[in-house]
Amino acid sequence: VRVTTPMVVSCNEPRREVSVNQITTHKQIDRTFMFDKVFGPTSQQKDLYDQVVSPIITEALEGYTWTIFAYGQTGTGKTYTMEGEGRKEKVILRCRPLIEDEVRVTTPMVVSCNEPRREVSVNQITTHKQIDRTFMFDKVFGPTSQQKDLYDQVVSPIITEALEGYTWTIFAYGQTGTGKTYTMEGEGRKEKNGEFHKDAGVIPRAVQQIFDILVAQNAEYSMKVTFLELYNEEITDLLAPDDNSKFCDDKSKKPIALMDDGKGTVFVRGLEEEIVCTADEIYKILEKGSAKKHTAETLLNKQSNRSHSIFSITVQIKECTAEGVELIKCGKLNLVDLAGSENILRSGGREGRAREAGEINKSLLTLGRVINALVEHSGHVPYRDSKLTRLLRDSLGGKTKTCIIATVSPSVHCLEETLGTLDYAFRAKSIQNRPEVNQ
Ligand code: ADP
Ligand code: MG
């Protein structure tokens, strides 16, 4: 498209005809072929599937053997047709170990993980109830798994893809206290020997890997990060400069608003974008952001488990093709630490918390509904119903990729919430990547 390549094939789908035309002074090509079906450049994977493959599947299940071949020149879409870039999401389950206090009082564990089989089971058999459910995920990390395991197996390939020009969003979803922040941010940064502390989470490791790749490629790049918090449907910029004014004073806050550019892209007006050149700069930014989170928590008397935090890294890499054409590849990574999922079930409408709980419900429920709408291919995807989903609209369905890391506790006391998280995550597992639904 960029170099305006002329097209010589035209498809007439209703007439099931394909024509190849080229008329120059030297040659004159004008040929038409007819097929059982013709799918032109605007046809979708689903069209071909529904019209061609679906009836074949029905027959195959009636006892026939069918073979489907993809035939054509390299680069014309054989693999795209057969495999596609289909499931662009991963759902990972992580179960933390019992923490010290739980061990001290010998809390029974009701969750068991089978990592090779990618299965998680919840079992509780008492005289009153009998719970025995098993869920399967794309990957399962049990209580003895380390930060590095999850990073190497799940996040590292995502970073590589993001730097090839994709947008990836990683969500941490789960009940408060199950390890969302531990997974995303972790505890402890770099050791003196340059290795990561064993508790360092996804964000610092991702930052390091991005710089390592860019340096190894000797790439010309620019990188920007933003860090924001969504609390009560209000956005707080965690990177806004400190103007010594009290954070709790509404008037002193920068006017931050979610805007629509009219073409479906949502952006945050007034959001601080920091340009970074080294990994150390990002660590400083992260610390600044986390400190601000904590100040805001104390001043506003809010709890971090009630807000969503979104750390985004955008990288633009300049590339030269073999023909010497300059290209800018843009990769983006959103790392989202969601509000505690227990808020989804409880209204907690006491002492002015009513609105707050309502808003958290709205964001998490809408995220769930958006996921369900995508799963069910329903015509209306309610992105607009919450700020969280508006903000992340580009990252749900559409052309970008999503990874949900669902976190659970093994404790018997969390059983109900654990089942809730497993159901939510299991359902999310079947979001299909599909063209944006117009609305
Ligand atoms: P959340 O952000 O979901 O509310 P946290 O990340 O704050 O939960 O984790 C709660 C506690 O559990 C913290 O003390 C954390 O260190 C510990 N923890 C969480 N996940 C793990 C894990 N996989 N391994 C060891 N400790 C963990
Ligand atoms: Mg947390």
Side-chain angles (χ1 to χ4, degrees):
V1 172
R2 203 173 357 90
V3 297
T4 38
T5 311
M7 285 169 70
V8 292
V9 175
S10 54
C11 297
N12 187 325
E13 299 191 4
R15 296 184 57 171
R16 300 184 281 126
E17 282 176 3
V18 180
S19 306
V20 182
N21 298 91
Q22 192 189 30
I23 294 155
T24 68
T25 41
H26 311 298
K27 53 183 166 184
Q28 187 148 349
I29 295 172
D30 180 4
R31 293 185 59 189
T32 296
F33 302 81
M34 199 179 172
F35 294 92
D36 292 320
K37 276 210 193 302
V38 167
F39 293 88
T42 61
S43 69
Q44 299 295 310
Q45 297 279 53
K46 188 174 183 309
D47 301 332
L48 182 129
Y49 187 82
D50 290 349
Q51 293 173 45
V52 177
V53 185
S54 177
I56 289 179
I57 302 302
T58 313
E59 274 199 32
L61 290 177
E62 281 162 6
Y64 289 91
T65 298
W66 263 100
T67 303
I68 303 178
F69 292 97
Y71 177 91
Q73 182 190 0
T74 298
T76 53
K78 296 185 296 300
T79 306
Y80 178 79
T81 299
M82 297 308 262
E83 298 178 16
E85 283 143 26
R87 278 196 57 219
K88 293 191 175 178
E89 74 294 325
K90 298 181 181 182
V91 180
I92 312 297
L93 193 282
R94 184 178 207 187
C95 179
R96 69 159 168 77
L98 288 176
I99 55 178
E100 243 173 66
D101 291 352
E102 294 168 331
V103 172
R104 201 168 4 86
V105 298
T106 39
T107 310
M109 284 170 71
V110 291
V111 175
S112 53
C113 297
N114 187 325
E115 299 190 4
R117 295 185 58 170
R118 301 183 282 124
E119 281 176 4
V120 179
S121 304
V122 181
N123 298 91
Q124 192 191 31
I125 292 153
T126 65
T127 40
H128 311 298
K129 56 181 167 187
Q130 186 149 347
I131 294 171
D132 181 4
R133 294 186 59 190
T134 296
F135 301 79
M136 199 179 171
F137 294 94
D138 293 316
K139 276 207 193 301
V140 167
F141 293 89
T144 60
S145 71
Q146 299 296 306
Q147 297 280 55
K148 188 176 185 311
D149 302 331
L150 183 130
Y151 189 83
D152 290 349
Q153 292 175 45
V154 176
V155 187
S156 176
I158 288 178
I159 301 300
T160 315
E161 270 198 23
L163 289 180
E164 281 163 10
Y166 288 91
T167 297
W168 264 98
T169 301
I170 304 180
F171 291 99
Y173 178 95
Q175 181 188 5
T176 298
T178 53
K180 294 184 299 299
T181 307
Y182 176 82
T183 298
M184 296 308 256
E185 298 181 16
E187 292 151 18
R189 299 265 186 262
K190 274 284 199 47
E191 306 268 74
K192 282 194 197 74
N193 61 8
E195 292 281 301
F196 277 104
H197 186 279
K198 75 168 185 35
D199 290 321
V202 166
I203 296 179
R205 288 173 198 267
V207 166
Q208 186 64 50
Q209 190 189 348
I210 290 173
F211 280 107
D212 287 348
I213 294 176
L214 292 172
V215 168
Q217 289 177 344
N218 204 6
E220 204 181 311
Y221 65 89
S222 69
M223 186 185 301
K224 282 184 303 197
V225 303
T226 61
F227 198 8
L228 62 86
E229 201 175 33
L230 193 61
Y231 174 74
N232 246 350
E233 293 288 284
E234 262 170 44
I235 298 168
T236 303
D237 186 350
L238 295 175
L239 300 185
D242 260 331
D243 45 10
N244 290 331
S245 53
K246 280 225 170 57
F247 200 84
C248 58
D249 175 7
D250 264 352
K251 276 169 284 178
S252 71
K253 271 203 246 165
K254 269 183 94 172
I256 289 184
L258 206 50
M259 310 287 287
D260 213 313
D261 71 353
K263 291 178 218 133
T265 305
V266 171
F267 65 97
V268 185
R269 188 193 61 200
L271 189 66
E272 204 69 32
E273 285 184 326
E274 297 243 9
I275 295 178
V276 281
C277 303
T278 66
D280 284 340
E281 278 176 41
I282 296 205
Y283 299 140
K284 288 210 189 85
I285 287 171
L286 259 177
E287 259 148 45
K288 189 169 109 186
S290 299
K292 191 144 196 170
K293 228 196 258 186
H294 293 134
T295 326
E297 264 163 42
T298 331
L299 288 175
L300 301 176
N301 191 23
K302 71 181 188 189
Q303 296 167 337
S304 59
N305 64 13
R306 290 172 176 269
S307 61
H308 314 283
S309 78
I310 308 181
F311 184 81
S312 305
I313 309 177
T314 311
V315 187
Q316 293 196 316
I317 307 171
K318 206 187 263 181
E319 270 199 341
C320 269
T321 64
E323 299 86 46
V325 181
E326 257 188 19
L327 278 180
I328 302 277
K329 261 192 327 198
C330 184
K332 184 165 184 188
L333 186 66
N334 300 308
L335 301 166
V336 186
D337 188 344
L338 290 168
S341 59
E342 67 280 6
N343 294 304
I344 217 171
L345 301 172
R346 304 197 180 124
S347 53
R350 279 174 291 127
E351 295 153 33
R353 284 240 185 261
R355 163 150 189 266
E356 187 189 85
E359 300 294 1
I360 298 158
N361 280 351
K362 190 154 108 185
S363 279
L364 284 177
L365 286 172
T366 304
L367 180 64
R369 278 204 303 269
V370 163
I371 289 171
N372 288 351
L374 291 167
V375 169
E376 283 158 10
H377 297 259
S378 93
H380 175 70
V381 183
Y383 294 108
R384 299 202 125 267
D385 293 357
S386 83
K387 273 205 179 137
L388 179 72
T389 48
R390 278 184 73 195
L391 257 175
L392 296 170
R393 180 184 174 137
D394 289 348
S395 313
L396 292 161
K399 60 188 183 308
T400 59
K401 309 190 181 195
T402 307
C403 173
I404 296 177
I405 302 175
T407 57
V408 296
S409 149
S411 159
V412 66
H413 304 300
C414 299
L415 185 91
E416 289 303 318
E417 296 291 353
T418 297
L419 286 172
T421 299
L422 290 167
D423 276 327
Y424 188 103
F426 186 73
R427 189 145 179 82
K429 207 161 79 79
S430 37
I431 305 183
Q432 293 294 318
N433 190 261
R434 58 195 295 263
E436 280 272 342
V437 177
N438 290 325
Q439 41 167 327

